[in-house]
Amino acid sequence: MHGIGPGTTLGGRYSLRRRLRQGPDIERWTAHDTTLERQVALTVVDADHPNRAGILDAARRAAGVEDTRLVRILDVGTQDGNSYFIEEGMDDAQSLAAILLRGTLPAEEARRIVGEVASALETARQRGLHHLRLTPHHVLRAPDGTIKLSGVAVAAAIEDAQEPDPAAASRRDAVCVVGLAYAALTGRWPLEERVPGIEPAPRVVGGVAAPSEIAAGVPGDLDALCRMTLNEDTGPLTPGDFASQIAPWSRGQVHRVAVDPTLIISAPGPSNGSTEIVPQADGPAPEAPVGAGERAVAAGAAATKAVDTVVAEAGAAVGLIVGKVGSFARAAADKAAVAGTAPGESDPGAGRMTLREALSSRAETAEPPLPLLPASTALDPSRDQSKVVVLIVATFLALSLLVGYCGFQGLGEGSGLPSSTPKPTVAVKPPPVTAEPTAPDQPEPSAGLPIAILSATGFDPQGDGQEKNTQAPRVYDGDLATSWTSEGYGSTSFGGLGKKGLGVRLDLGQPTSVNQVTVDLGIGPVDVTVYAATGDSLDGATVLGTVNAATGRVQVKATGAIPQTQYVIVWFTTLA
């Protein structure tokens, strides 16, 4: 934008520091309020924006809504043709989208987050304001667990969207809050609009799969609300309706319980012939005793997670087998949770279930009974029958692990049979990819301080536009145990799909002088070219350097002057 850059002061007090996002007529910056000595966020709207007046009006109206769960809008102004609005600084907070990159949330933390968001939206609704563009990127969680919502009224105005009538707008916000709950529980986005960084929910006949069908430990009320709202076009009409239906929720952050997802199936005991699923917990035993319901809930979630991981690698061949085991784990969790909250619980074995009890509690799913368990009689199975069933379940698990291992090794080309040769891929590991600056007047590149990377995404312009996008931030997270890996292909030349290459795109946040990039390759050999680009494309990009048949750590250095670039694209033309 004209006259805007680091160090520019707007309104006589807001000194720009670092550009966070850039569009054709909208920019977002961190800034320092020199009057009150505090960090703020500043959004600049170019004079050419078609809805500049509407954005400023939305910001002024949103500033009048008082709710501690809304990101406060502190100031609105115009200077030298550029309009802007100021929000409280949230540099230390993480968006829900970023949190979900590390995995789904505990069910009660998901309830807390969406409950706070719904309450904030209800406050805005009562003042005549709506969000209309709510996604996980607008929900922020501070280090102390505080939830903040950004973008009320303003997000829709920036897109120059026509606001529907109040009833339709309220229903739209309620549906989006339900979508947030679905995403927090499953890591998937259920609505039609795509959300960067969040994979879409699986589609089934009639809508999307229910959260309980793809995740363990989903509370019944949240599961029902998701199904009613997303698939049956019923459910809450306003955010306030949703908040009242899921209340109460925790006032403090709910942390994950550290449970090692190890499934242990013990032989029937001498007294009742029951089968137990027990999680192995890390660290010392808790000081306070844990109820049987809580133990079994954690066990069911851990067992389902372990089995689901195997199925994801093995493919559809073991889908039916794991469906049985997953249903059993969820049934055990549900029934034990009820037992654990019953008044007067004193029997430490009260939360345990027999195999027959777990299967019968899921009778509504119309699944056939396991072999050798008579479905037509209410009599308890004999000890011999129980032993046989235990052996069958153990065999199923062993088969799942075997097939999962074979699937992980990769399928042989053309044969459809497991092969010990993995499909060609490319892997990039930390230490973080760093770009090092040089002054424009230096004739030869020289090493400088590492440049911070704002974000990273998979880069597949000749395919579906995505290449393991959710893994891309691992290339600069500084964790040696993580890496980005491409999709698997049938050959080192991308399986004959006509692609010339693929890779990772790094966003530096603002145009920067770059002369050297260090890349740690997990395996090789691979051919890689590093580009300096001003846009989200290789068109017009400048080659920083190329290395062939590379493996391990490589350094790509520019041999001449390179124009300032906001993006660095690591582009692989062959796979390992």
Side-chain angles (χ1 to χ4, degrees):
M1 292 185 181
H2 177 69
I4 296 295
T8 301
T9 299
L10 296 177
R13 60 188 289 188
Y14 305 112
S15 177
L16 302 187
R17 294 294 175 85
R18 183 168 180 265
R19 184 188 288 114
L20 300 176
R21 290 195 295 274
Q22 181 179 22
D25 42 28
I26 289 280
E27 289 186 2
R28 186 169 177 82
W29 292 75
T30 61
H32 181 69
D33 182 349
T34 58
T35 299
L36 297 179
E37 295 296 331
R38 61 182 177 181
Q39 298 300 311
V40 296
L42 185 148
T43 301
V44 185
V45 185
D46 190 82
D48 295 332
H49 194 288
N51 193 35
R52 182 177 67 158
I55 294 172
L56 298 183
D57 178 65
R60 291 188 181 97
R61 290 187 293 134
V65 180
E66 295 184 2
D67 192 299
T68 57
R69 293 160 291 204
L70 294 175
V71 175
R72 290 182 299 153
I73 295 181
L74 306 172
D75 198 1
V76 180
T78 299
Q79 177 177 313
D80 299 331
N82 294 314
S83 299
Y84 60 89
F85 60 89
I86 308 296
E87 297 173 284
E88 64 177 307
M90 297 292 295
D91 293 345
D92 56 348
Q94 284 188 306
S95 71
L96 178 58
I99 294 171
L100 291 178
L101 288 176
R102 300 192 298 271
T104 57
L105 296 171
E108 291 310 309
E109 176 66 358
R111 183 191 301 273
R112 182 183 78 92
I113 290 177
V114 296
E116 295 289 287
V117 170
S119 300
L121 286 173
E122 181 63 18
T123 301
R125 187 187 73 85
Q126 294 174 1
R127 294 290 301 270
L129 300 181
H130 305 89
H131 199 294
L132 304 178
R133 291 296 182 271
L134 180 62
T135 73
H137 291 281
H138 295 104
V139 179
L140 306 174
R141 186 175 73 182
D144 63 357
T146 301
I147 302 301
K148 292 278 191 174
L149 174 64
S150 68
V152 170
V154 176
I158 289 176
E159 295 185 18
D160 198 12
Q162 296 296 319
E163 184 169 335
D165 64 84
S170 297
R171 169 64 176 176
R172 167 67 184 176
D173 279 355
V175 171
C176 287
V177 174
V178 174
L180 284 180
Y182 189 106
L185 293 167
T186 68
R188 306 294 186 94
W189 183 246
L191 304 185
E192 294 292 340
E193 300 85 353
R194 297 296 297 271
V195 175
I198 307 292
E199 294 185 13
R203 297 281 162 179
V204 297
V205 176
V208 296
S212 60
E213 295 177 16
I214 57 178
V218 175
D221 58 340
L222 293 181
D223 191 56
L225 281 169
C226 288
R227 285 189 285 103
M228 294 167 57
T229 306
L230 303 173
N231 294 343
E232 302 172 11
D233 198 26
T234 57
L237 298 179
T238 68
D241 291 343
F242 178 81
S244 64
Q245 291 174 23
I246 70 167
W249 54 82
S250 170
R251 294 304 172 187
Q253 182 175 344
V254 181
H255 298 277
R256 290 184 178 90
V257 177
V259 175
D260 180 17
T262 302
L263 183 65
I264 298 179
I265 298 183
S266 61
S271 58
N272 57 15
S274 63
T275 298
E276 300 180 51
I277 295 181
V278 184
Q280 303 300 300
D282 294 331
E287 295 180 4
V290 181
E294 296 178 4
R295 290 197 301 269
V297 169
T304 304
K305 179 180 178 182
V307 175
D308 287 348
T309 301
V310 172
V311 178
E313 298 294 350
V318 294
L320 179 60
I321 296 172
V322 177
K324 297 288 185 183
V325 179
S327 297
F328 171 50
R330 285 192 293 268
D334 294 343
K335 183 165 183 177
V338 173
T341 56
E345 177 185 354
S346 59
D347 182 3
R352 299 179 180 176
M353 305 177 63
T354 65
L355 182 62
R356 184 174 180 277
E357 289 174 325
L359 293 172
S360 64
S361 69
R362 283 284 170 173
E364 70 277 9
T365 62
E367 293 184 355
L370 287 179
L372 303 182
L373 280 182
S376 59
T377 179
L379 296 176
D380 290 334
S382 67
R383 179 173 299 181
D384 289 340
Q385 287 176 328
S386 298
K387 290 181 179 180
V388 172
V389 171
V390 170
L391 291 176
I392 290 174
V393 174
T395 302
F396 280 167
L397 288 174
L399 179 60
S400 302
L401 294 172
L402 176 62
V403 177
Y405 175 78
C406 294
F408 182 79
Q409 292 298 313
L411 298 178
E413 291 184 22
S415 66
L417 297 175
S419 168
S420 61
T421 304
K423 292 185 178 181
T425 60
V426 64
V428 179
K429 301 179 66 176
V433 178
T434 58
E436 303 195 10
T438 181
D441 57 349
Q442 288 180 325
E444 294 293 334
S446 61
L449 296 176
I451 297 172
I453 297 172
L454 180 63
S455 64
T457 56
F459 187 64
D460 185 21
Q462 295 159 355
D464 61 1
Q466 301 188 55
E467 192 73 19
K468 293 287 188 70
N469 285 4
T470 57
Q471 291 186 8
R474 298 177 181 177
V475 303
Y476 67 95
D477 63 3
D479 185 354
L480 294 173
T482 65
S483 64
W484 170 85
T485 306
S486 72
E487 304 286 352
Y489 292 88
S491 68
T492 57
S493 57
F494 310 102
L497 298 178
K499 294 183 181 182
K500 295 182 180 179
L502 54 82
V504 181
R505 185 188 70 250
L506 309 172
D507 186 353
L508 306 182
Q510 60 189 29
T512 308
S513 296
V514 177
N515 69 60
Q516 176 176 310
V517 175
T518 302
V519 185
D520 280 88
L521 301 171
I523 55 175
V526 295
D527 297 340
V528 59
T529 300
V530 180
Y531 290 90
T534 57
D536 188 13
S537 169
L538 290 179
D539 296 338
T542 302
V543 175
L544 273 170
T546 299
V547 290
N548 296 317
T551 188
R553 173 170 292 191
V554 297
Q555 288 189 340
V556 179
K557 296 183 179 181
T559 57
I562 301 295
Q564 286 196 337
T565 177
Q566 180 171 340
Y567 300 96
V568 172
I569 298 175
V570 182
W571 179 250
F572 297 93
T573 53
T574 63
L575 299 177

